Amino acid sequence: MASRLKTRSVIRFRGPDTIKFLQGLVTNDVRKFGEAIGEKTSTLTTPNVSTVSETPIYAAMLTPQGRFLYDLFIYRPSRSYEKLDKTGSKPGSNPTDDPFDLLADVDATVTDELMDCFHKFRLRSNVDIENLSEEFSCWQRFGKNLSTSSDSKEEPEASALGWGAGVDKAGQSSTKGNTSGWQWYKDPRLDSLGFRGIFPSNTIPPLVEANKETDELNYLQWRVEKGVAEGSTEIPKGEAIPLEYNLAGLNAISFDKGCYVGQESVARTHHRGVIRKRLLPLKFLNKSGDEVEQKVAPGSEVVGVSSDKKVGTVTTALGSRGMGLLRLEEAFKGSGSLSLKGQDNVKIEVIRPDWWPSEWFPDH
């Protein structure tokens, strides 16, 4: 399945100071985008897929106190000299003809606010920041058939092309990118989330057939079931502590990149090694153990059945599933131990995420 993510927008950073500018603002290390050679993604030079490519990174911007503000997926677009020109008959342009660009996939509800924030920090940096939401769209491919780990350099469907023992390299290339070099990348957070990409708004990405495009709510359901929040609504802006929302486990934080806004608080919490609350996937049940839908709203308080003491809060609810920020010690006490405050008929079942490292669980 694939969804056009209408809740996300695209902004572009252009200029020689782009790397230095972002490096001091976001939680992840963007210096790899300035390196000359990326990951080898193709052995066949074509107009649509470059021979080398850098995988995107997931990152966040924080307040000086280390609270979450915005999340970003940062991409380095294909350079024209890394692939053939649009005719497919000759190499692309000279490297010096290309300006240095990075694209970011950001929360559409806060795009203007985020742009203002970047402009405030820009000062004398030689970098232009532009909203490209009309020209480009964000897409996500996901589903059970994409959830298993595979070679990061190949798409499962693209690598299946061929006849007998042979492989159709040209066909494989065309399934990964369009004629201008826009292509799918493995989601930098988790393999099980599938593939993500930025594509021109007037085109349908490769590998997206009519019967595969689905509503974005299905992608939200896919994330919720895995306990992965996204954007400044699901991760409360100005309030959320990044490590409690599992951003380290989602590859959004580099602990050896050096200084950035909010870094001191994040590093101190990380090195103490004590995180008592985390975001968890939830299932909402009635007293008979059957799933109940539309009975829970974000902000609902989760309490212990026996103690009636607060364990946490539901942050996202969708049908019979949701996510909540809960105290780990009480969250994993066992089935039937949690309910909603004021709604004794709704029980909360905590799902153990299969992507969590063992040391995150209280029984470790």
Side-chain angles (χ1 to χ4, degrees), residues 49-261:
V49 177
S50 59
T51 55
V52 292
S53 181
E54 283 292 357
T55 55
I57 64 170
Y58 184 52
M61 287 181 66
L62 311 179
T63 68
Q65 295 75 33
R67 302 295 174 124
F68 176 88
L69 282 176
Y70 316 105
D71 65 349
L72 311 88
F73 294 82
I74 303 175
Y75 300 76
R76 195 206 79 163
S78 298
R79 304 291 190 259
S80 58
Y81 59 86
E82 295 169 345
K83 55 186 187 296
L84 297 180
D85 67 3
K86 291 185 178 181
T87 68
S89 61
K90 61 182 179 180
S93 63
N94 188 289
T96 58
D97 296 337
D98 277 0
F100 184 85
D101 289 352
L102 290 180
L103 298 179
D105 148 2
V106 303
D107 187 338
T109 64
V110 294
T111 303
D112 291 340
E113 182 182 317
L114 179 56
M115 293 281 290
D116 290 342
C117 182
F118 280 130
H119 282 114
K120 180 181 72 174
F121 281 108
R122 184 176 59 173
L123 300 176
R124 296 183 181 179
S125 297
N126 189 354
V127 53
D128 293 323
I129 306 157
E130 186 178 358
N131 187 341
L132 299 183
S133 301
E134 296 297 321
E135 293 90 343
F136 293 98
S137 299
C138 306
W139 286 76
Q140 186 89 18
R141 290 183 62 231
F142 61 98
K144 292 182 180 179
N145 60 321
L146 297 177
S147 63
T148 55
S149 180
S150 63
D151 186 342
S152 63
K153 302 170 190 174
E154 295 293 349
E155 275 270 14
E157 294 183 39
S159 59
L161 291 176
W163 177 261
V167 176
D168 180 357
K169 294 289 187 182
Q172 191 179 89
S173 174
S174 66
T175 62
K176 291 189 288 185
N178 71 4
T179 55
S180 298
W182 303 98
Q183 65 188 89
W184 290 106
Y185 295 92
K186 184 170 286 188
D187 193 302
R189 296 168 295 178
L190 299 173
D191 286 353
S192 59
L193 289 174
F195 293 81
R196 200 172 181 105
I198 291 174
F199 296 91
S201 296
N202 60 358
T203 65
I204 298 296
L207 293 171
V208 179
E209 299 166 8
N211 62 344
K212 286 185 177 181
E213 187 174 348
T214 186
D215 191 277
E216 187 177 350
L217 279 177
N218 292 314
Y219 166 60
L220 173 58
Q221 182 84 29
W222 186 255
R223 279 196 297 102
V224 165
E225 291 177 359
K226 290 169 172 44
V228 178
E230 183 176 299
S232 299
T233 301
E234 296 176 27
I235 312 174
K237 183 166 64 73
E239 301 176 12
I241 296 173
L243 299 185
E244 291 184 347
Y245 279 75
N246 307 322
L247 292 189
L250 295 172
N251 302 312
I253 300 174
S254 169
F255 292 104
D256 55 11
K257 63 164 281 186
C259 294
Y260 56 87
V261 177

